[in-house]
Amino acid sequence: MTNPAFALPDSILTPEAYLLMENDNNTGTRHEFVNGLVYAMTGSSRDHNRISGRLYVRLSQHLQGTRCEPFQSD
């Protein structure tokens, strides 16, 4: 009896197929590509990254010329 958690996928993706799939992904979940296999990534969504990026830019502009410096991390 085989363990389904260790079953091999039906197909291996090419890098091109992965990029097309990820570009068309509208679920908000990002994925990583490892040796033809695709794994959902933990962490923030694309919308979260857009919002936090805009906030970082505005805060950086606001603090320009001061001794303060904002940092952005995931």
Side-chain angles (χ1 to χ4, degrees):
M1 181 162 118
T2 61
N3 184 342
F6 297 104
L8 292 176
D10 293 334
S11 63
I12 302 293
L13 289 179
T14 64
E16 295 80 10
Y18 160 73
L19 291 173
L20 288 172
M21 180 191 78
E22 191 66 9
N23 189 51
D24 292 339
N25 176 15
N26 60 5
T27 65
T29 302
R30 297 180 302 159
H31 299 86
E32 64 180 331
F33 178 81
V34 180
N35 296 325
L37 303 177
V38 177
Y39 301 93
M41 293 174 53
T42 60
S44 57
S45 67
R46 289 182 182 187
D47 286 339
H48 177 275
N49 282 327
R50 286 182 187 111
I51 293 167
S52 64
R54 290 178 187 141
L55 179 61
Y56 170 80
V57 168
R58 289 198 179 195
L59 186 56
S60 180
Q61 291 170 342
H62 178 75
L63 295 173
Q64 203 165 23
T66 71
R67 293 179 44 196
C68 298
E69 181 180 7
F71 292 94
Q72 183 177 356
S73 65
D74 198 15

